[in-house]
Amino acid sequence: MSSNNTKLHDNIKFITVTAVFIALTYVFTAFVNIRLPIAANGGLVHLGNVPLFIGAIIFGKKTGAIAGGVGMGLFDLLSGWTAWAPFTFIIVAIMGFTVGAITEKHHGIGFDALAISVACVIKVVGYYIAEVILYGNWLAPVTSIPGNLVQIGVAAVIVLIVVEKLRAVALKTALA
């Protein structure tokens, strides 16, 4: 295969994989969720972080950033939480990028756990700031923190159980 064909193949693969992870992130956010009654401004615990983290860990920071930002931002736009969409796009894109950046060159459950922990901090801080901006209140956003922790904690357990096996399969498939 020529250099141009290889580059084209790689671009098509990137676009295809990223599109799949955008769709999975959206679906797992929109349809596998529980609305929280404890948060002052509503709140949602969903599994959208599972495909986001898997995509970022296996396919890297670009896929993680785009899948997270677009997948969850799209959910906000289509679910009536439109004011949240710009914040979600930025916060979750940073989460996906960070997870991918940490795990692109460092493989294993320890680095995966570290990356997800950093994403958790980004989520908690990012959404706290977003709520302060949207609602003009420094105290109310504290009620969203438990839901964010549960959301990332559940995703972490699921992802850490499956991701290294999925990475091995993806690597074997890429080499075939």
Side-chain angles (χ1 to χ4, degrees), residues 69 73 76-77 81-93 127 130 134:
D76 284 350
L77 286 173
W81 297 22
T82 311
W84 288 94
F87 297 103
T88 295
F89 179 81
I90 293 166
I91 295 163
V92 183
Y127 278 105
L134 286 172

Side-chain angles (χ1 to χ4, degrees), residues 61-131:
K61 61 189 173 218
K62 288 181 189 175
T63 293
I66 296 168
V70 174
M72 287 192 204
L74 187 61
F75 166 77
D76 284 350
L77 286 173
L78 297 177
S79 67
W81 297 22
T82 311
W84 288 94
F87 297 103
T88 295
F89 179 81
I90 293 166
I91 295 163
V92 183
I94 293 169
M95 288 169 55
F97 183 90
T98 302
V99 169
I102 291 171
T103 60
E104 276 181 340
K105 295 181 182 167
H106 301 93
H107 300 168
I109 193 166
F111 284 104
D112 298 343
L114 172 66
I116 292 170
S117 297
V118 173
C120 184
V121 172
I122 293 166
K123 182 177 195 73
V124 169
V125 171
Y127 278 105
Y128 179 88
I129 292 168
E131 282 195 53

Side-chain angles (χ1 to χ4, degrees), residues 29-42:
T29 304
F31 300 110
V32 188
N33 65 56
I34 299 168
R35 294 196 187 271
L36 294 177
I38 61 169
N41 304 311

